[in-house]
Structures are given as C-alpha cells and as structure tokens.
Amino acid sequence: MKPFKQVNLIIIVIGLLSCHSGQLDKVLQQADSLMTNDPDGALALLSSFPHPETLNQADFAAYQLMYTKAKDKCYMDLSCDTTLILKSLVYYKKHGNASQKGWSNYYAGRVYEEAGKLFEAGLYFLKAAEYAGEIPDPLLGMMANYYLGELHDKQYAFDKSLEAYKKSYAIYDQTSGEKYTGTLLHSIGSEYGINGNRDSAYFYLEKALDIAREQKDTIEMAAIYNDIGVYLKEDSLYLKSKCYLQQSLSLDSDSSWMITRKITLAEIHAYLNETDSAFFLLDGMKSVVEELDDIELRAIYYSALAKTEAASKNYESASFYQNRYVACVDSVYQLQRKGSLAEIEQIYNYLKYQEENEKLHTVQDGAIVVGWIILSLLLVVFLLIGGMKWKKKQDLSKAEDTVDVLRKMEKVNKSNCNNDAGKKVALSGYSDDEKGMMVKKALLMQLNITKVLSQLDEKSEKEQSFLKKFNSLFYGEQHTLEIDWSELYLLIDLLYNDFASKLRKHYGKILLEKEIQLCCLLKTNMDTTEIACVMKQSINTVRTRKTCIRKKLKAPDGADIIIILEEGVNNKG
C-alpha cells in the first residue's frame, strides 16, 4: 500500500500545481487587461495571488515581470526588486522569445535605475532597444530609448540625451499612439534648451504645452512653463520669464519641484531689482533647503542668495554666499569624479554577476564551455572599452585641473603685478610670499602660459576636442610646458640666499634631480596642485616624492621638508 500512497500523493501535488498554474494564467490575463486604465487594480489583483514563491520557474518569471510592470505603472518604488526581476531575466534569456527577453531587460533597467545603479540600467535598456528592433516592437523601442535619454541626462551627457530622446520620438511616431507624444516633445525641448539651441527648445516646448492643455494635465503644464521660464531667464528676458514661472507655481505648488521653481523666481526678482520679493521667497525656502541633503539644491539656493544680496548692494554677504555656492559646486564635481573612477569596477562586478547567473542556470554540457569563452571575451572587451573611457575621462579631468591651476596662478600674478607697480626695494625687503610670487611669475613667463591659455579659450575646430588641443599645446611638438631649470635655480639662489646651490652641493648625492627640483618649488611655498601642474606629474606622484625625500632625510612622516633641509645646510656650513 505504501508505494500506492506515494503515487497518489504525487498525483495530488501535480494536480494542485496545475490548478495553481491555471489560476495564474487567468490572473495574468486579467491584470494585463487592467494595466493601461486601472494599474492600481492590476497591482491589487497580482498582490492577492497566494504564494507566488511556490510557482515553477516559468510561471514565476511571468508573474514577476507582470508584477514589476504594475508597480512601475503605479509609480511605486522598484529599487528593492533587483533580485526578483533578475530571476525573470535569467529565465527568459534562456527560454523566452524576443518579446519576453526585451521586456524583461527593459524592466530590469527600470529597477536598476531606481536602485541608483545607472551603469547596469543602461546596459539593460540598450539590450531592450536591441530586442525591440528585432521583433519589431515600437513601444518597447520608444520606452528603452527614452530612459536611455534620462540616464544620459542624469550623467550630464546632454548631447547624448537629446539624441536618445529624438530616437525615441522617431520610433513612437511610427505608431498610432498619442499618450506619450507630449512627454517626448517636452523632453526634446528641454534638452535643446540645455544644449543652447533656444529656437528649437521653444518650438518643441510650445508643442508639448498645447498637448498638455488639451489633456488638461496641470502637472505637465507646470513643468513646461517652468522650463520655458528658465530658458527665458538665461536669455535675459526676465519679465517674460517671471510670468511663466508664476504660472508654473500657480498650477503646481506642492510638488518637489516647487522649491527650485521658487528659488529661480527669487533670482528673477533680484535681476529686476525686486529684492524684497526675492528675499521673501528665499527666506521661506531656507529651512527646507537646510533640512534636505541635496548639494545641487543648496548650490542653486546660495547662488540666488548671492545675486539677491549683490542686487541689494550687500557685497560682503554676496561674497559669503558666492563662496558657499562655489563650495557646493566643487562638492558636486568631486562626486562626479568619484562616479567616473568607479566605472571599471562596475563593469567587472556586473559581468561577474552575469557569470554567476550563467553558472547557476546553464546546463553542464558542452554549451557551457562555449558560453564561458564568449563571456570571457566579453569581459575583456568591456574592460578594455571601460578602461579606455576611464583613461580618457581621467586625462580630460587632469587637463581641466591643470588649466584651472594655471589660470589661478596667472590671475594672482596679474593681481600682484598691479599691486606692486612702482615698488622697487632691495630683495631683502620682500616677504616670502612676494618672493614666491616672483618665482611663479618667472615660471609663467617660461611656460608662455598667457599665450597657451588664450589659445585654449579660442573656439577650436569641430574635429579638435579640448583634450586634443590641450595635449598639442602642452605635450606636442610645440613643447610649451618645459621649464629651464638652470635659469630657475639662478632665480631661487638670488631670492633665497643660494638655496638651490647649497641644496645641490650638500644633498646632490642623496636626492635625485627631480627631488631637488621639487624641494626648490616647495621653498617658494607652491602648493601640491601647482607643483604637479608645472612638473607635469600627478598629485599622487608629488606626494609620493615628498614621502621618499623624508625617508632619505630620515625625517618623520609629515615633517616640513624645507625646515629639515635648511637645518642640514646650515649645520654643514
């Protein structure tokens, strides 16, 4: 009897699973029919389904994909669903058709975007767009390209964002749909505005505004009024800008965008010398801005305060808030730099995760060998591409930093030249700061910095990027950035009581020539960024050289190198 009982139990379990699976098919069909007009109802129906975790792989993949779609339609947080959507993605990657693969990649992109993992989200959206072209599925293609535009916008790649939005609109234009037309026109118009093409911006934004009016969508109307107002402000059309922003606030005064809209309106009041109105708006926003951990919002707020204080002729306060604004912008820049440096690690982690999925879900036969080979090649390709992109970003960032340092040195030098006009006293009468400025002035003249910076300010040809021009001027055949150290040593000896000669005489056998050069620049009170710039080295290299010098001098970490060297020179006579 026992074997028969086991058989009966198996039959009962299979029957229950079949009923469960059949019930799921009805729920999915009903939820899909509700998705467009009643997404809340679709989500409630799916949420009521009992124990979805007991479903087989195929059913769970279908359920989770539909459930994620419903949550997305209801504007719910998707950031915690990465593991669940990947189960659908992995299953459909192996067993699904092109449509299932495309939509599972799309919703994986949406989940990862909300989780803040933009790199992975971008890869999934690209894959979704690829499948959309194969099917073809214009709606999928439109959505995938739209969110690629959103990702580019978040990463300040506005030209790429505009390209993606236009592609999304072109695909959607092939369908008879009208639901997303206004949103796409709005996105294209806003991106044209950011890229400086105002005529195109106003054209697309006005078309989007007409559609929003027809649909009586006040939230969308408020957003478009705001964008037009911002671009009118940037074009110095303050009265028109003020009208548009006031209309925006009258239609939507409760959204999270209300804060930035009021700050922008306050800035316009300042431009129109309506400082009382400006201060009133900014005072109302103060506590909200300080409570939120949003550096970009604080930057906008401090910038508006600085302009308002300047309009009121409170120049000391204006300078204070301008410095706060600059500090916030610098923090944002540093965060962007950290994000770009993490790209290689993200690529590696993503591919490693994909490898683990392949291990778990690929059958142990000859196909796995081929899969590993392809995956290894992909890993190498991605790492190479990521490495090249990372290096290019590093080079560009380093070039921009170098130019910034040189501009500051040039600006300070000009300022000091004006302040010291007509001042002629003995060298002993100059302070250490004034002597340091003399050395910097000599370096600027040697490096021909004024000419170099003026060339970088010129509009370069279309095919010549900033980085290419920078490399040509600084490291190319012109060899602009070269120091005549023999001449500089003479100047340092003249200003600092034969410091360079004594250094080379007493420490020439201990220190390398590059280390002696570094010590001479340290003697002139140049900071690490300036030294890195003129010596064509990274900041880390300069710091490493300092550490090496201390070790050679048997000095403790952090000790002042110049004090130790001067004591050594004096003791040796």
Side-chain angles (χ1 to χ4, degrees):
M1 290 295 291
K2 197 170 184 179
F4 290 106
K5 287 183 179 180
Q6 289 178 341
V7 171
N8 288 335
L9 181 61
I10 292 170
I11 293 171
I12 291 169
V13 169
I14 292 172
L16 288 172
L17 289 174
S18 299
C19 292
H20 201 45
S21 182
Q23 183 185 0
L24 175 66
D25 290 339
K26 292 178 182 178
V27 169
L28 292 180
Q29 289 175 10
Q30 191 174 352
D32 195 34
S33 66
L34 293 170
M35 198 68 71
T36 302
N37 298 318
D38 186 15
D40 290 318
L43 182 62
L45 179 63
L46 291 165
S47 299
S48 66
F49 188 81
H51 307 296
E53 68 277 3
T54 62
L55 293 168
N56 61 43
Q57 284 189 349
D59 288 341
F60 184 81
Y63 173 83
Q64 189 56 47
L65 186 59
M66 188 69 72
Y67 185 74
T68 306
K69 181 178 180 180
K71 285 184 70 175
D72 189 37
K73 293 282 187 181
C74 294
Y75 303 103
M76 293 183 66
D77 182 21
L78 302 174
S79 60
C80 297
D81 295 351
T82 52
T83 303
L84 295 173
I85 192 62
L86 279 178
K87 289 185 177 180
S88 294
L89 188 67
V90 169
Y91 178 81
Y92 285 131
K93 181 180 178 182
K94 187 175 179 181
H95 302 288
N97 56 39
S99 179
Q100 290 166 328
K101 291 176 181 177
W103 283 107
S104 59
N105 271 281
Y106 169 76
Y107 282 108
R110 290 288 296 120
V111 169
Y112 272 84
E113 180 195 12
E114 294 211 2
K117 299 179 179 180
L118 304 187
F119 175 80
E120 291 90 337
L123 288 177
Y124 289 129
F125 286 136
L126 284 168
K127 198 66 180 174
E130 185 181 325
Y131 281 119
E134 291 179 11
I135 303 172
D137 186 339
L139 181 61
L140 175 59
M142 181 275 290
M143 298 294 283
N145 280 286
Y146 173 80
Y147 278 104
L148 281 170
E150 294 282 278
L151 292 184
H152 285 309
D153 184 80
K154 287 179 181 179
Q155 296 173 330
Y156 306 99
F158 301 120
D159 53 339
K160 291 282 188 182
S161 181
L162 176 60
E163 183 182 327
Y165 286 142
K166 289 170 72 175
K167 186 172 183 180
S168 177
Y169 180 67
I171 294 170
Y172 192 61
D173 200 40
Q174 299 171 10
T175 72
S176 58
E178 296 181 355
K179 181 178 179 180
Y180 300 105
T181 302
T183 301
L184 292 168
L185 290 171
H186 181 186
S187 299
I188 293 170
S190 294
E191 221 60 35
Y192 266 125
I194 293 172
N195 282 284
N197 190 336
R198 296 286 196 265
D199 290 339
S200 295
Y202 296 137
F203 172 78
Y204 280 99
L205 289 172
E206 289 291 351
K207 287 179 69 174
L209 187 58
D210 289 340
I211 293 173
R213 287 195 188 107
E214 288 176 11
Q215 297 174 345
K216 297 180 181 180
D217 187 343
T218 56
I219 303 299
E220 182 70 2
M221 287 169 63
I224 298 169
Y225 276 127
N226 172 75
D227 287 357
I228 295 175
V230 169
Y231 299 136
L232 288 170
K233 183 203 77 171
E234 292 178 4
D235 291 339
S236 302
L237 300 171
Y238 301 124
L239 286 173
K240 289 184 69 176
S241 174
K242 177 181 171 182
C243 291
Y244 273 94
L245 283 161
Q246 286 174 334
Q247 284 180 291
S248 176
L249 283 167
S250 69
L251 290 168
D252 179 22
S253 60
D254 296 324
S255 73
S256 58
W257 292 103
M258 175 269 294
I259 304 171
T260 55
R261 289 170 189 172
K262 284 190 175 181
I263 293 171
T264 305
L265 184 58
E267 196 173 331
I268 292 168
H269 281 306
Y271 284 126
L272 295 170
N273 291 317
E274 299 167 354
T275 52
D276 289 341
S277 298
F279 280 124
F280 176 78
L281 286 170
L282 292 171
D283 287 344
M285 294 294 101
K286 182 179 179 181
S287 60
V288 181
V289 171
E290 290 179 347
E291 286 174 9
L292 293 172
D293 186 21
D294 189 332
I295 298 175
E296 292 186 22
L297 179 62
R298 290 187 183 185
I300 297 168
Y301 178 73
Y302 290 135
S303 175
L305 262 176
K307 290 181 174 67
T308 305
E309 293 286 6
S312 300
K313 299 183 179 178
N314 299 325
Y315 298 115
E316 187 174 347
S317 295
S319 176
F320 172 77
Y321 287 118
Q322 183 66 18
N323 288 336
R324 282 197 165 192
Y325 162 73
V326 171
C328 288
V329 171
D330 185 60
S331 296
V332 173
Y333 171 71
Q334 293 299 331
L335 287 172
Q336 292 172 12
R337 287 282 303 277
K338 287 180 182 178
S340 64
L341 291 174
E343 281 188 2
I344 294 296
E345 185 179 354
Q346 288 176 326
I347 291 169
Y348 177 78
N349 288 340
Y350 170 75
L351 289 174
K352 186 177 179 182
Y353 187 85
Q354 294 293 76
E355 287 179 12
E356 294 300 320
N357 283 335
E358 290 293 334
K359 286 181 186 178
L360 292 172
H361 299 284
T362 305
V363 292
Q364 301 298 316
D365 55 15
I368 196 170
V369 178
V370 177
W372 272 108
I373 294 171
I374 294 172
L375 201 60
S376 300
L377 290 173
L378 281 173
L379 176 60
V380 172
V381 170
F382 272 113
L383 286 174
L384 286 173
I385 293 172
M388 288 187 288
K389 287 184 178 179
W390 176 78
K391 186 179 185 306
K392 187 174 181 180
K393 285 189 176 183
Q394 283 287 86
D395 291 344
L396 179 58
S397 177
K398 184 179 177 182
E400 291 171 341
D401 288 347
T402 299
V403 172
D404 285 343
V405 171
L406 292 174
R407 288 193 199 285
K408 289 175 184 176
M409 289 173 67
E410 184 190 40
K411 185 177 180 181
V412 173
N413 176 59
K414 287 181 179 177
S415 174
N416 277 271
C417 287
N418 293 333
N419 293 336
D420 294 340
K423 180 179 178 181
K424 292 186 178 181
V425 296
L427 287 174
S428 59
Y430 281 91
S431 67
D432 286 342
D433 286 341
E434 289 170 328
K435 290 177 182 178
M437 285 309 306
M438 288 184 185
V439 175
K440 290 180 184 179
K441 181 178 179 180
L443 282 168
L444 291 171
M445 292 175 65
Q446 276 196 24
L447 303 175
N448 204 7
I449 291 305
T450 301
K451 180 180 177 182
V452 171
L453 295 179
S454 67
Q455 289 184 58
L456 283 171
D457 283 337
E458 294 172 1
K459 290 184 177 179
S460 58
E461 297 175 2
K462 289 183 179 179
E463 68 273 13
Q464 188 178 33
S465 65
F466 169 82
L467 184 58
K468 183 178 179 182
K469 191 162 189 178
F470 172 89
N471 288 332
S472 173
L473 289 169
F474 281 65
Y475 306 109
E477 295 178 357
Q478 299 179 46
H479 296 296
T480 310
L481 195 61
E482 294 292 339
I483 299 172
D484 185 344
W485 285 99
S486 60
E487 185 178 322
L488 193 67
Y489 287 150
L490 289 174
L491 178 60
I492 290 172
D493 280 344
L494 181 65
L495 292 171
Y496 298 100
N497 192 26
D498 295 327
F499 177 84
S501 295
K502 290 176 181 177
L503 188 64
R504 301 181 80 187
K505 177 182 177 182
H506 296 295
Y507 290 98
K509 293 182 179 179
I510 300 174
L511 301 177
L512 300 173
E513 185 66 20
K514 286 285 185 184
E515 292 169 342
I516 290 174
Q517 293 169 0
L518 172 57
C519 292
C520 288
L521 296 179
L522 287 172
K523 177 63 179 172
T524 67
N525 290 324
M526 290 181 70
D527 62 37
T528 304
T529 56
E530 291 172 336
I531 293 172
C533 176
V534 299
M535 292 189 75
K536 296 194 290 187
Q537 296 172 348
S538 70
I539 291 174
N540 285 336
T541 300
V542 174
R543 288 172 178 160
T544 302
R545 284 194 184 280
K546 286 183 182 179
T547 302
C548 187
I549 291 170
R550 290 190 186 97
K551 288 181 179 178
K552 289 183 178 181
L553 299 176
K554 298 179 181 179
D557 292 341
D560 191 317
I561 293 171
I562 298 304
I563 292 175
I564 294 169
L565 287 173
E566 287 180 332
E567 288 175 352
V569 168
N570 292 334
N571 290 337
K572 292 177 182 179

